[in-house]
Amino acid sequence: MSVYVVGHKNPDTDSVTSAIAYAELKKATGTDAVAVMQGELNPETRMVLDKFGFSAPEIMTDATGKQVILVDHSDIAQAPDNLDKGEVVEIIDHHKIGDVTTNNPIFFCAKPVGCTGTVLKQLYEINNVAIPEKVAGLMLCAIISDTVLFKSPTTTDADKAACEELAKIAGVSDMQALAMEMFKAKSAVDGVPAKDLIFRDYKDFDMNGNKVGCGQLELVDLSLVENIRDDLYNAMKEVKEEGGRHTVLLMLTDIMKEGTDLMVVSDDPSYVEKAYNVKVDGQSVWVDGMMSRKKQTIPPLQEAFGC
Ligand code: MG
Ligand code: MG
Ligand code: MG
């Protein structure tokens, strides 16, 4: 029976490439593993897979009767449906420990680094398996993506060191140029429905009994979304109503200026104002230096909600 390696819902580059890279490592060490993903590729991940010659993994959204390895998450809400009707056999991650539990002891490897790709680089070393050239390219891109080429405060020395080595293995001589190519692909918003943009990189959180959603668009320039701000705002209102959410945030992150124009739709914006010490006037508020949802957006908001 195959083991399915799967990243989180609304897959990002790390979730997709880590599923591929870890499935390769499992195969190299004698386990029949298959990389899958829970949704369509985003434009950045598509570019990355094309560049290194990989096709898109199959989509798998239900864990019933399956053995699964979770990468890049350990939250039930982020995992395939019916996880309790399947079996989680391993978890490889770089987020806070989520709410997945198991009946048996498992290999659970989570490190406070910027990317699952960095954890995987170390696991290849521990297992004494050489990283295939093209797989190294994928892992490199995952780290560039998750750390926004080391600009995100989630970045650690381990991420930088891993990138140096992965670039050598993958034959990438200009990491900066690769990053720009990825960021441009990531910034593509033309012709995409506003709601799809909100869900492109989106997570729901439970904050003291309140459902709070937070999407993020990382852009090389905020002018890219200037004409669709009203559409985004209206779509956020819909997302809020449909899901019975207390608050929906959309981070319009300017990768170059290193800050976020935070769009807010909320039953009570005072939580947001308290969290970031800002005043929400109209649809959004600029929060200087905000790059990371995981490290800068969610924790202060959870605190404001009294979590
Ligand atoms: Mg991720
Ligand atoms: Mg990640
Ligand atoms: Mg991200």
Side-chain angles (χ1 to χ4, degrees):
M1 186 168 98
S2 296
V3 178
Y4 294 87
V5 188
V6 65
H8 54 72
K9 288 189 161 76
N10 305 311
D12 57 10
T13 296
D14 187 25
S15 263
V16 176
T17 62
S18 288
I20 295 171
Y22 197 51
E24 287 301 316
L25 176 56
K26 293 306 289 181
K27 282 189 267 183
T29 52
T31 300
D32 179 17
V34 181
V36 291
M37 59 183 184
Q38 293 195 64
E40 296 296 336
L41 295 174
N42 70 35
E44 179 195 70
T45 314
R46 177 166 290 124
M47 183 233 109
V48 166
L49 294 187
D50 284 351
K51 190 172 185 73
F52 292 97
F54 288 86
S55 51
E58 300 264 308
I59 290 181
M60 186 204 83
T61 58
D62 196 311
T64 304
K66 297 191 174 92
Q67 287 198 327
V68 295
I69 295 174
L70 306 181
V71 293
D72 201 33
H73 70 295
S74 67
D75 277 301
I76 294 166
Q78 298 293 322
D81 299 338
N82 298 311
L83 199 61
D84 54 336
K85 298 195 182 80
E87 186 188 6
V88 176
V89 294
E90 291 188 38
I91 299 173
I92 317 292
D93 194 19
H94 70 116
H95 295 86
K96 74 178 177 68
I97 295 176
D99 53 4
V100 168
T101 55
T102 62
N103 293 326
N104 295 301
I106 64 161
F107 181 68
F108 188 143
C109 183
K111 293 195 169 200
V113 292
C115 181
T116 307
T118 304
V119 182
L120 291 182
K121 164 83 171 52
Q122 297 172 359
L123 289 178
Y124 267 91
E125 275 160 23
I126 289 167
N127 284 280
N128 234 329
V129 173
I131 304 172
E133 187 180 325
K134 288 175 187 316
V135 175
L138 295 186
M139 292 162 75
L140 171 65
C141 289
I143 303 173
I144 290 172
S145 175
D146 265 14
T147 66
V148 198
L149 193 61
F150 316 135
K151 284 181 185 179
S152 169
T154 56
T155 310
T156 66
D157 289 343
D159 300 306
K160 293 180 188 168
C163 278
E164 288 291 324
E165 290 177 45
L166 290 167
K168 275 190 203 129
I169 299 167
V172 171
S173 55
D174 191 343
M175 225 189 280
Q176 190 85 34
L178 174 61
M180 274 320 290
E181 196 182 343
M182 290 169 58
F183 296 159
K184 281 191 184 134
K186 196 199 285 262
S187 297
V189 295
D190 275 355
V192 184
K195 214 184 236 176
D196 292 0
L197 290 174
I198 293 171
F199 285 119
R200 182 181 277 178
D201 179 6
Y202 176 93
K203 283 177 183 165
D204 271 317
F205 300 86
D206 175 48
M207 300 205 182
N208 225 349
N210 302 291
K211 194 167 168 188
V212 175
C214 183
Q216 181 175 28
L217 291 174
E218 289 163 314
L219 305 160
V220 286
D221 194 331
L222 290 188
S223 67
L224 290 162
V225 291
E226 206 45 58
N227 296 329
I228 55 167
R229 276 176 180 271
D230 287 342
D231 296 342
L232 288 170
Y233 194 74
N234 290 331
M236 286 170 71
K237 282 198 231 166
E238 270 176 46
V239 170
K240 181 183 170 303
E241 293 315 315
E242 284 165 7
R245 294 172 174 89
H246 178 283
T247 298
V248 173
L249 302 177
L250 181 60
M251 300 168 63
L252 302 174
T253 300
D254 189 318
I255 301 174
M256 297 301 148
K257 296 205 173 80
E258 300 188 29
T260 289
D261 199 33
L262 187 67
M263 296 188 77
V264 182
V265 174
S266 179
D267 286 339
D268 184 356
S270 74
Y271 290 101
V272 172
E273 296 183 332
K274 190 172 140 201
Y276 314 116
N277 197 17
V278 294
K279 191 94 200 124
V280 183
D281 199 8
Q283 297 178 340
S284 69
V285 59
W286 174 258
V287 187
D288 209 39
M290 182 186 273
M291 302 277 287
S292 165
R293 173 173 52 204
K294 174 168 83 172
K295 210 153 185 166
Q296 294 167 299
T297 311
I298 298 308
L301 193 58
Q302 279 172 324
E303 203 170 305
F305 271 95
C307 298

